[in-house]
Amino acid sequence: MNGNGITAAPATPYAAPGTALKTPFEASRAQCLAALLSYALAYAYIRLLFLESLFPGALLLFSLLFLGLSELLFRAEGKKTFSRESAFWLCCILAVGLARVPFNGGTVRGWDMLLCCGMAAYYVLSRCGLLIEGETSFFFPFDVKNALLKLPFKNFFLRIRTFCYGVKELLSGKREKKSVSSLAVFITLCALVLFVIAAGILISADFLLSERVGDFFEKLGEFLGELLVPDIPLYFFLSLPVGCYLFGLVSGAARSKAAPTEKAALEAMFERVRVLSVPAAAAILFLFLALYGLFFAFQSSYLVGALSGELPSGFTVSRYAREGFFEMCQIMALSFFLLCCVSKFSRKPLRESRLLKALALLILLSCVLFAVVAAFKLALYIDRYGLTQKRLLSSWGVLVLLIFTLLAAVYISRPFKAAKAAVFSAAALFSLLCLCNPDGLIIRTNLELYKSGAVRDPDLEYLALDCGGALDIEGFAEQLEEAGVFKNGMDADIFNEMLGYSAEETLASGEVLLTWVFEGRFDGHSFGGREFEIRAYCKRGEGEGELTVLRIEQAEV
């Protein structure tokens, strides 16, 4: 109080006009704990990435660890509500990760790991309500950019700040020590120790249980030894940027109150680029439509061959099936990009102009024809040469493009949430593809084609090496025998194709015994697998090295 009896206002930090005071950085106890755990999570990601062939459940394990850490941060920030969309992405992530476990790590050429990581990043935005429209929409590419680039790199050093803040608070003693929490942790650790002791007593009490569980823990010990022991400094150093990226994504999303990119800014940007008049936009669409029409006119006999299954003159099946397949897929993708550009650059919305709407529908009709021709060409190729992982993924891609085309046609005629339906369809179909055991599907398809006579020489080396995790060795050998692979006097090379036989012996009866051993999976990296010995009894033919298989015996070593 001064001499005039007026009480002075408390002093406040000075801020320049028009500028906001900078809020000092703070982090909750959950955020500090998550920052510490993220070092282990990032290290596990690096190690699991390189040890995936040894441990088929690596992708599922990392997904669970990532989702658990994310949920810890989200709930600490009060974000406890699950939307239906975030639940959908959560199911897709777990489905793709889970698909590797029962099929011994069989994959669709590694795309499952890549898309699973992408879906996990997108799930974070969906879970925190940070999608631009609040749900999947036509802003999907911008949401993906926010999830993979903007959010994690904007908060790239957030983990370091959080970790240092936690250490400073711990050393300053400002945080109260809660004896209840410490006691709960101590009791939990004691319970785990007692559990291990009890498990050891029960395992030693039963011989069969000891043998089975002992083998499991032996393999688990080998895995943990590979995970923790070698090259720890190198892999820890490699994990540092990975950890900053993951923590920046999750913690940045947990702290954010709104989407990184504002909807209003994007809509304003799109309004500024509406510079095409309706006649100009129609001319562009008509130009592409005329090009497609000329292609269909000149290639009518060529395209009819795909639909009827008859080859044009001068074409082999392989050349006809491969030629133009990927070009058709690229044309479809280009057509979608063209329609998106016209709809955004045209001064008059595409749906409000009858001319633009009619031309767009005709282009989509051309895309449907492209997709149908590509599908028939691919089916012809599979029918003649069998199914492979690349051809299976190509089939999924053609189906997705066809669904996108039909959804786009319906959307132009009658507005609905087409982008959400398209993205959900692609994600759900890929998850189902992973869950249907793609490698086992390849084996069964190729063996059925061999039985029917469509495929003359099954690629055993491909089936054994690339799809070995789909079936155990007993089932694989039995299916080969049932398909009649060994009934046509095949020579010894057939066994070399199946990773080579380990021994050749001429018996007193004159029969030739070929023996080879597999360890659960064909590549020898089975987690908890068993060894099988396959014996093929053959008789020599007239030609050099020619062997005819008489019978096959299989036994567990």
Side-chain angles (χ1 to χ4, degrees):
M1 179 178 293
N2 56 22
N4 297 325
I6 300 174
T7 303
T12 57
Y14 173 76
T19 60
L21 291 175
K22 187 176 181 180
T23 305
F25 179 81
E26 292 183 354
S28 64
R29 179 173 298 185
Q31 290 169 339
C32 295
L33 176 62
L36 181 62
L37 293 177
S38 67
Y39 284 92
L41 178 68
Y43 178 81
Y45 177 80
I46 293 295
R47 295 301 287 142
L48 291 173
L49 183 66
F50 288 97
L51 288 176
E52 190 189 5
S53 61
L54 178 65
F55 185 51
L59 184 59
L60 178 62
L61 176 60
F62 175 77
S63 299
L64 292 174
L65 293 174
F66 176 80
L67 294 170
L69 181 65
S70 302
E71 199 60 29
L72 172 67
L73 283 169
F74 298 156
R75 291 185 175 273
E77 292 293 328
K79 298 181 177 181
K80 301 180 180 181
T81 305
F82 259 93
S83 65
R84 291 183 179 180
E85 179 160 338
S86 60
F88 169 81
W89 290 113
L90 178 64
C91 291
C92 288
I93 294 167
L94 295 178
V96 175
L98 184 64
R100 287 194 167 214
V101 179
F103 309 137
N104 290 333
T107 68
V108 281
R109 299 181 68 85
W111 281 98
D112 51 348
M113 170 172 282
L114 180 64
L115 292 182
C116 185
C117 293
M119 287 190 292
Y122 192 80
Y123 160 79
V124 170
L125 263 66
S126 176
R127 173 66 177 80
C128 294
L130 299 180
L131 298 177
I132 295 174
E133 282 270 11
E135 60 182 354
T136 301
S137 64
F138 285 105
F139 295 115
F140 176 74
F142 297 94
D143 286 324
V144 172
K145 183 203 71 172
N146 291 337
L148 298 180
L149 298 175
K150 189 171 184 178
L151 197 59
F153 285 112
K154 180 182 178 182
N155 301 282
F156 194 75
F157 298 104
L158 182 58
R159 181 174 74 163
I160 299 175
R161 298 182 67 188
T162 304
F163 183 78
C164 292
Y165 178 86
V167 172
K168 183 184 71 173
E169 290 292 300
L170 183 65
L171 294 178
S172 64
K174 290 182 180 180
R175 292 192 179 274
E176 298 180 359
K177 295 182 179 179
K178 295 186 178 182
S179 58
V180 176
S181 300
S182 302
L183 181 61
V185 172
F186 177 74
I187 293 174
T188 303
L189 292 176
C190 290
L192 289 175
V193 173
L194 293 175
F195 174 79
V196 172
I197 294 174
I201 295 173
L202 291 176
I203 290 173
S204 61
D206 187 283
F207 175 76
L208 181 60
L209 184 64
S210 175
E211 183 180 3
R212 295 288 175 85
V213 178
D215 181 65
F216 170 79
F217 280 105
E218 181 182 355
K219 294 289 185 180
L220 181 60
E222 293 176 1
F223 167 71
L224 292 177
E226 289 287 335
L227 181 67
L228 299 175
V229 176
D231 302 322
I232 288 181
L234 172 62
Y235 285 100
F236 181 76
F237 177 77
L238 293 175
S239 71
L240 291 179
V242 175
C244 288
Y245 179 92
L246 294 176
F247 188 82
L249 168 65
V250 178
S251 185
R255 288 171 171 266
S256 299
K257 305 301 180 183
T261 304
E262 295 182 0
K263 176 183 176 182
L266 289 175
E267 289 179 339
M269 180 190 70
F270 287 137
E271 286 300 322
R272 288 195 300 269
V273 298
R274 289 191 177 277
V275 295
L276 279 180
S277 63
V278 172
I284 294 174
L285 292 178
F286 183 79
L287 183 64
F288 277 83
L289 192 59
L291 176 65
Y292 297 165
L294 286 174
F295 175 79
F296 290 135
F298 282 105
Q299 298 290 328
S300 57
S301 60
Y302 174 84
L303 298 176
V304 168
L307 302 178
S308 63
E310 298 179 1
L311 296 179
S313 59
F315 278 85
T316 62
V317 175
S318 58
R319 179 191 169 192
Y320 179 72
R322 285 196 302 264
E323 188 174 277
F325 172 78
F326 291 105
E327 286 75 8
M328 289 186 183
C329 296
Q330 292 169 15
I331 284 293
M332 291 182 67
L334 180 63
S335 299
F336 276 107
F337 181 73
L338 171 68
L339 291 177
C340 289
C341 290
V342 168
S343 65
K344 296 303 179 184
F345 294 157
S346 175
R347 292 174 186 171
K348 190 174 185 179
L350 186 146
R351 198 183 300 107
E352 295 179 8
S353 171
R354 291 185 178 181
L355 177 60
L356 294 181
K357 184 176 179 180
L359 292 173
L361 288 174
L362 287 175
I363 286 183
L364 290 174
L365 179 61
S366 301
C367 289
V368 171
L369 186 55
F370 280 131
V372 171
V373 171
F376 273 92
K377 287 164 71 72
L378 186 60
L380 180 63
Y381 198 20
I382 292 172
D383 185 62
R384 299 294 179 91
Y385 292 99
L387 188 62
T388 64
Q389 290 177 338
K390 184 181 292 187
R391 292 166 201 163
L392 185 62
L393 281 173
S394 298
S395 303
W396 171 82
V398 171
L399 178 60
V400 168
L401 286 174
L402 181 59
I403 291 175
F404 284 5
T405 304
L406 296 176
L407 289 174
V410 175
Y411 173 76
I412 291 177
S413 303
R414 184 178 181 182
F416 73 107
K417 297 178 180 179
K420 184 175 182 178
V423 173
F424 277 31
S425 299
L429 286 174
F430 185 80
S431 301
L432 291 175
L433 176 64
C434 294
L435 287 173
C436 77
N437 187 6
D439 291 343
L441 177 63
I442 292 171
I443 290 177
R444 291 190 296 272
T445 301
N446 289 340
L447 291 178
E448 288 298 324
L449 289 173
Y450 181 80
K451 286 181 182 180
S452 65
V455 176
R456 296 181 180 178
D457 298 314
D459 191 345
L460 297 179
E461 184 178 9
Y462 169 78
L463 293 178
L465 287 173
D466 289 354
C467 301
L471 299 170
D472 59 44
I473 182 60
E474 287 182 304
F476 183 62
E478 288 175 358
Q479 290 202 35
L480 288 177
E481 190 173 16
E482 290 176 1
V485 174
F486 303 120
K487 293 180 180 178
N488 298 322
M490 310 290 283
D491 60 31
D493 289 340
I494 191 172
F495 299 102
N496 284 325
E497 289 185 5
M498 295 176 66
L499 298 191
Y501 52 87
S502 56
E504 179 178 338
E505 179 184 358
T506 301
L507 305 178
S509 60
E511 295 179 344
V512 178
L513 173 61
L514 301 178
T515 307
W516 68 103
V517 177
F518 294 98
E519 184 184 354
R521 283 189 62 192
F522 296 95
D523 57 11
H525 294 298
S526 176
F527 187 72
R530 298 173 296 170
E531 289 188 350
F532 291 93
E533 184 177 82
I534 307 299
R535 305 184 187 96
Y537 293 88
C538 314
K539 70 176 181 178
R540 295 192 184 278
E542 296 180 359
E544 182 179 356
E546 182 179 340
L547 297 173
T548 301
V549 178
L550 300 176
R551 63 187 183 280
I552 293 180
E553 294 180 357
Q554 308 166 67
E556 184 175 350
V557 178

